[in-house]
């Protein structure tokens, strides 16, 4: 907690740390955690729910007139018509947590009249706190963050996520990754999108792309990236991406290069681009049958 930070950001930090304590205690005996399946390969645990309840209680105690949009409880809590809406992912990386794989985080953002103004991403396993307030920069543990200075895609390490739900376009994603991997230094899939975005902001990776993400996965992390000097949008480079289930983040020079590679895979791509991807996939299928 810092007197230099905006009071609403301080409240979000307090909520994230309280949730992190719950998660860390549960991680000591993860096999005892009760798990429910929302759909195939999509799980929620009692820890997600306890973390979310603590975050909501902390936020609404401080700001009872604010709205809440949370992954597990939706808009059940808070004021429905408020211009201030907290967007919460209480445990991003639940699958990692269930397996004891220590890559997961808490994500809290505040939207004011539809624009993200404050963001917190907290990694409880490393006690790493990533924060941003619009116009005031982004920080990791009180140290100012800046995106990577690399300008050549061939030197870049990128983060991504893999499809895992029924109905996801597995073939298209494999084609997209195969193309990206030819032009980059490496590709990583840690499994927690909010933390992936924080790592772009910190310069640990040089970019991130993924489809199928919800607003609570990207709201806080996107502000971290832009306040650290990077760009965030969909695969065609459009900035209005938060609810489009498509996210691309990188420093400006790398962002432009990635848009050229990934734009044709976007659901917003032009007809010719989509036809080119479809033709490439068809050729791949025919080659596999030979």
């Amino acid at each position: 907690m810092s007197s230099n930070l905006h009071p609403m950001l301080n409240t979000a930090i307090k909520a994230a740390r309280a949730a992190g304590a719950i998660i860390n205690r549960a991680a000591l005996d993860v096999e005892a955690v009760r798990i429910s399946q929302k759909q195939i390969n999509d799980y929620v645990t009692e820890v997600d729910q306890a973390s979310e309840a603590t975050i909501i209680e902390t936020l609404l105690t401080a700001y009872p007139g604010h709205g809440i949009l949370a992954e597990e409880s939706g808009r059940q809590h808070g004021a429905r018509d408020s211009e201030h809406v907290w967007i919460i992912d209480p445990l991003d990386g639940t699958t990692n947590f269930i397996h004891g794989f220590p890559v997961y985080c808490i994500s809290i953002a505040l939207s004011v009249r539809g624009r993200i103004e404050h963001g917190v991403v907290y990694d409880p396993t490393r006690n790493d706190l990533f924060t941003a307030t619009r116009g005031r920069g982004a920080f990791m543990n009180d140290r100012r963050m800046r995106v990577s200075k690399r300008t050549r895609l061939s030197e870049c390490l990128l983060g991504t996520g893999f499809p895992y739900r029924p109905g996801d376009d597995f073939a298209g994603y494999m084609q997209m990754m195969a193309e990206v991997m030819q032009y980059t230094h490496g590709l990583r899939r840690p499994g927690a999108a909010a933390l992936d975005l924080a790592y772009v902001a910190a310069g640990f990776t040089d970019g991130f792309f993924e489809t199928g993400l919800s607003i609570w996965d990207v709201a806080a992390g996107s502000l971290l990236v832009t306040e650290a000097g990077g760009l965030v949008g969909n695969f065609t480079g459009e900035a209005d991406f938060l609810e489009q289930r498509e996210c691309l983040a990188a420093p400006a020079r790398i962002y432009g290069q990635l848009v050229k590679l990934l734009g044709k895979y976007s659901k917003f791509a032009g007809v010719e681009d989509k036809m080119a991807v479809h033709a490439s996939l068809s050729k791949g299928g025919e080659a596999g049958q030979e």
Side-chain angles (χ1 to χ4, degrees):
M1 302 283 283
S2 170
S3 59
N4 296 324
L5 300 179
H6 191 284
M8 291 181 186
L9 184 63
N10 264 330
T11 300
I13 291 169
K14 179 181 176 182
R17 289 197 182 279
I22 290 171
I23 293 168
N24 280 341
R25 282 196 299 272
L28 297 174
D29 189 10
V30 74
E31 292 184 1
V33 173
R34 288 195 299 273
I35 301 167
S36 303
Q37 187 166 326
K38 293 192 280 190
Q39 59 176 315
I40 296 174
N41 287 338
D42 194 358
Y43 299 93
V44 60
T45 72
E46 59 182 335
V47 179
D48 295 71
Q49 294 162 340
S51 171
E52 184 169 292
T54 293
I55 293 168
I56 291 171
E57 180 184 7
T58 303
L59 297 176
L60 291 184
T61 297
Y63 302 105
H66 285 192
I68 298 288
L69 174 58
E71 180 176 10
E72 306 308 335
S73 59
R75 292 186 179 271
Q76 293 175 23
H77 305 277
R80 298 293 178 91
D81 57 353
S82 176
E83 293 182 334
H84 293 73
V85 179
W86 294 96
I87 303 168
I88 301 162
D89 191 334
L91 179 51
D92 186 22
T94 299
T95 297
N96 286 348
F97 174 79
I98 290 169
H99 289 272
F101 188 74
V103 180
Y104 42 81
C105 67
I106 296 140
S107 176
I108 304 173
L110 178 64
S111 170
V112 182
R113 293 183 287 277
R115 191 169 79 160
I116 306 300
E117 294 291 337
H118 304 284
V120 172
V121 173
Y122 179 52
D123 176 353
T125 68
R126 295 168 185 78
N127 195 27
D128 282 338
L129 181 70
F130 303 87
T131 61
T133 291
R134 182 174 294 277
R136 296 192 185 184
F139 297 82
M140 174 185 173
N141 301 331
D142 299 323
R143 179 180 60 82
R144 184 71 180 260
M145 293 193 296
R146 299 297 296 176
V147 293
S148 162
K149 295 180 180 178
R150 293 187 179 88
T151 58
R152 296 181 182 178
L153 194 56
S154 61
E155 298 174 353
C156 288
L157 180 67
L158 302 183
T160 189
F162 301 153
Y164 60 91
R165 298 181 182 92
D168 284 347
D169 183 9
F170 291 92
Y173 218 90
M174 292 299 290
Q175 176 73 17
M176 182 167 58
M177 287 193 295
E179 183 168 352
V180 170
M181 288 168 72
Q182 294 178 56
Y183 294 97
T184 60
H185 191 199
L187 197 59
R188 299 290 182 268
R189 200 279 194 191
L195 203 52
D196 289 329
L197 288 166
Y199 281 10
V200 173
F204 300 160
T205 57
D206 306 289
F208 167 75
F209 65 95
E210 188 172 352
T211 62
L213 296 172
S214 298
I215 188 170
W216 44 75
D217 297 311
V218 297
S222 64
L223 185 63
L224 294 176
V225 172
T226 55
E227 286 296 318
L231 297 176
V232 186
N234 64 21
F235 288 0
T236 61
E238 301 296 324
D240 185 17
F241 77 101
L242 277 174
E243 299 193 57
Q244 295 183 347
R245 303 184 69 80
E246 218 176 74
C247 182
L248 169 63
R253 295 280 293 275
I254 300 303
Y255 188 83
Q257 294 171 64
L258 287 172
V259 166
K260 289 180 181 177
L261 279 180
L262 298 174
K264 58 182 173 290
Y265 296 98
S266 171
K267 59 184 176 184
F268 306 104
V271 174
E272 290 184 4
D273 285 335
K274 289 184 177 180
M275 288 177 65
V277 172
H278 180 73
S280 179
L281 287 171
S282 297
K283 286 180 182 179
E286 291 168 4
Q289 293 170 5
E290 292 176 0

